[in-house]
Amino acid sequence: MERLLANFGRLLKQVNTDFTRYKYDEIKWDSRMLGLVGPRGVGKTTLFLQYIKKNLSVKDTLYVSADNIYFSDHTLIDLADDFSKQGGRHLFIDEIHKYASWSVELKQMYDSYPDMQVFFTGSSVLDIYRGMADLSRRAPVYEMQGLSFREYLYLFHGIESPVYTLEEIVEQKADIPGVNHPLPLFADYLKRGYYPFSRDADFYTELQQVINQTMEVDIPQYAGMNVSTGRKLKQLLMVIARSVPFKPVMQKLADLTGVSRNYLADYLFYIERAGMIAQLRDETGGLRGLGKVEKLYLDNTNLVYVLGQENSNVGNVRETFFLNQMRVRQEVIASRMADFSIGGYTFEIGGKKKGQKQLAGAGQGFVVKDDIETGYGNVIPLWAFGLNY
């Protein structure tokens, strides 16, 4: 316990509270138990440590990681019991999915220690949701995505911009105060701005490690597949990165990856839940439903560039950005006439020469153009959609 407390103290000293992610104000921190999940590297640990530093006393608070050597000969229940006897009231457990029986023991902790708050994070979203059945309605689970373009501007460059609603964006109200030329900043964000750790000098190597861990360890463990199948599915990511946004033909994808067509739809769902791809669905179910998959994208533009490198498709990058940023606040579905539909709005994405042809007949249609600084009429700059959260 002393070593756990010492490690917690070191981490807390290092954390900076000047900037907090969009999810911080959405979490109901007075819950007895809650979970925070999301892809690897989006800042879940930092968010918890920031909350602790700003609101709690270290005298009755403890942060631990579930892969700590302490758990080689102790259980979560052992930890909770010892912590409770020392007056502990706020227990934060990071990377909970790395502990085998986490969901069962969290349920027991909830029932046995009513005066203790227990918060946990997990990067393996699939494992978290499978284990949540044991917790029933005891613990709400929040999902956190990577940095928006707005968050990147502040975290990387100290540039503050307000959050704009979709309605404000289409009404041409989105603006970055003090920035007259947003395109160089936007181009940098597309390549290395989605993950907070992308400020590191060896960012691309670290992101490759995240991809390998997710595709070769997390998903195979969850789905009961072998590592070689995970590697085959990683090849699919390369195909998506270097292609124009395409409608998936299961047999063709199966042939490209060497994965059985019978399992491919399930595997794509696993990869999506793990934060590696996004599947654009039609109106029969929407993004969060069971609608038919119309297009496949990588989850974010940083993944496109690290996997596709110089062969990354620019049209793919543009549409990936739009879907990635808009899905946080809205349900985005495939449009029958253009690229995307959100509520009553229709959006066609392209470069500065993109025309209005695809929007013929659209009640509220908008052309979203890359490579332009300001909008006019129904033409909106692509970067403006990065100010939505």
Side-chain angles (χ1 to χ4, degrees):
M1 180 62 74
E2 290 182 2
R3 289 183 179 179
L4 293 178
L5 288 168
N7 184 60
F8 166 48
R10 285 192 295 271
L11 290 172
L12 201 61
K13 287 180 180 179
Q14 296 171 4
V15 72
N16 188 301
T17 59
D18 292 342
F19 167 82
T20 54
R21 297 293 316 285
Y22 76 99
K23 188 61 73 173
Y24 187 93
D25 293 327
E26 299 178 9
I27 294 175
K28 295 182 179 179
W29 295 103
D30 57 351
S31 301
R32 277 188 55 199
M33 179 176 287
L34 63 82
L36 179 64
V37 302
R40 293 178 178 277
V42 296
K44 301 181 296 296
T45 301
T46 299
L47 192 74
F48 271 6
L49 290 170
Q50 287 176 325
Y51 175 75
I52 295 170
K53 194 166 188 175
K54 293 174 72 171
N55 298 278
L56 302 178
S57 169
V58 294
K59 294 180 180 179
D60 57 8
T61 304
L62 175 63
Y63 160 91
V64 299
S65 179
D67 61 357
N68 192 287
I69 194 172
Y70 170 90
F71 293 107
S72 62
D73 56 1
H74 294 84
T75 66
L76 286 174
I77 297 298
D78 291 336
L79 175 67
D81 187 62
D82 194 9
F83 186 50
S84 177
K85 289 176 181 177
Q86 296 184 30
R89 297 181 57 230
H90 311 283
L91 179 59
F92 293 75
I93 308 169
D94 203 9
E95 297 294 307
I96 192 72
H97 62 278
K98 294 183 178 180
Y99 183 93
S101 57
W102 65 268
S103 58
V104 175
E105 294 194 36
L106 283 184
K107 179 179 181 296
Q108 185 176 340
M109 291 161 65
Y110 184 95
D111 295 336
S112 302
Y113 304 96
D115 296 329
M116 184 185 299
Q117 280 189 315
V118 180
F119 295 172
F120 59 90
T121 76
S123 295
S124 182
V125 179
L126 295 161
D127 283 335
I128 294 297
Y129 278 103
R130 178 165 60 182
M132 285 306 295
D134 291 321
L135 293 174
S136 185
R137 291 182 294 274
R138 291 173 175 84
V141 174
Y142 298 87
E143 287 194 40
M144 188 164 79
Q145 303 297 324
L147 298 172
S148 66
F149 179 46
R150 184 191 70 86
E151 291 179 311
Y152 154 86
L153 288 172
Y154 185 85
L155 186 61
F156 283 56
H157 301 284
I159 299 171
E160 293 189 54
S161 173
V163 173
Y164 291 94
T165 65
L166 177 59
E167 289 71 24
E168 290 172 328
I169 294 171
V170 299
E171 290 171 3
Q172 307 285 9
K173 294 180 179 179
D175 180 51
I176 306 172
V179 176
N180 296 322
H181 304 293
L183 295 182
L185 294 166
F186 183 55
D188 184 63
Y189 168 82
L190 294 176
K191 292 182 178 179
R192 63 173 196 97
Y194 187 69
Y195 297 92
F197 66 89
S198 56
R199 289 176 294 177
D200 297 350
D202 53 353
F203 163 62
Y204 282 123
T205 299
E206 293 179 32
L207 185 53
Q208 282 281 10
Q209 292 172 348
V210 168
I211 296 169
N212 292 340
Q213 177 71 22
T214 302
M215 300 301 297
E216 298 181 10
V217 179
D218 292 348
I219 293 175
Q221 284 182 352
Y222 174 82
M225 67 175 71
N226 56 45
V227 175
S228 63
T229 302
R231 288 173 179 162
K232 290 178 182 177
L233 291 174
K234 193 167 69 172
Q235 295 174 8
L236 175 61
L237 302 185
M238 301 285 288
V239 173
I240 297 173
R242 297 178 179 183
S243 303
V244 296
F246 65 94
K247 186 171 183 176
V249 179
M250 290 303 176
Q251 187 58 59
K252 185 175 181 179
L253 292 180
D255 293 341
L256 284 170
T257 59
V259 174
S260 170
R261 178 181 176 179
N262 296 332
Y263 300 112
L264 194 55
D266 287 341
Y267 290 170
L268 289 175
F269 177 73
Y270 301 156
I271 300 171
E272 181 179 40
R273 296 302 292 149
M276 289 289 107
I277 66 169
Q279 300 186 82
L280 181 67
R281 296 173 171 85
D282 65 19
E283 71 276 7
T284 60
L287 185 64
R288 299 173 180 84
L290 297 174
K292 183 180 178 182
V293 176
E294 292 294 329
K295 290 183 182 179
L296 278 180
Y297 298 91
L298 290 186
D299 180 78
N300 61 79
T301 60
N302 292 184
L303 290 175
V304 177
Y305 279 110
V306 75
L307 290 168
Q309 299 179 25
E310 68 276 5
N311 295 315
S312 300
N313 179 270
V314 66
N316 192 330
V317 170
R318 292 164 177 160
E319 292 187 31
T320 297
F321 169 79
F322 183 91
L323 175 59
N324 172 269
Q325 300 285 284
M326 287 293 97
R327 68 184 181 188
V328 173
R329 300 296 190 199
Q330 294 85 204
E331 183 177 52
V332 185
I333 60 175
S335 169
R336 294 179 179 179
M337 63 179 68
D339 290 320
F340 301 101
S341 178
I342 303 176
Y345 299 130
T346 301
F347 298 96
E348 178 68 15
I349 318 298
K352 58 185 176 182
K353 295 183 180 180
K354 171 64 69 173
Q356 303 271 346
K357 181 180 179 181
Q358 285 87 349
L359 297 177
Q364 291 183 294
F366 299 90
V367 179
V368 180
K369 293 188 178 184
D370 195 7
D371 303 320
I372 64 171
E373 293 183 337
T374 58
Y376 50 91
N378 73 331
V379 176
I380 307 171
L382 181 60
W383 60 261
F385 292 88
L387 308 180
N388 190 227
Y389 74 90

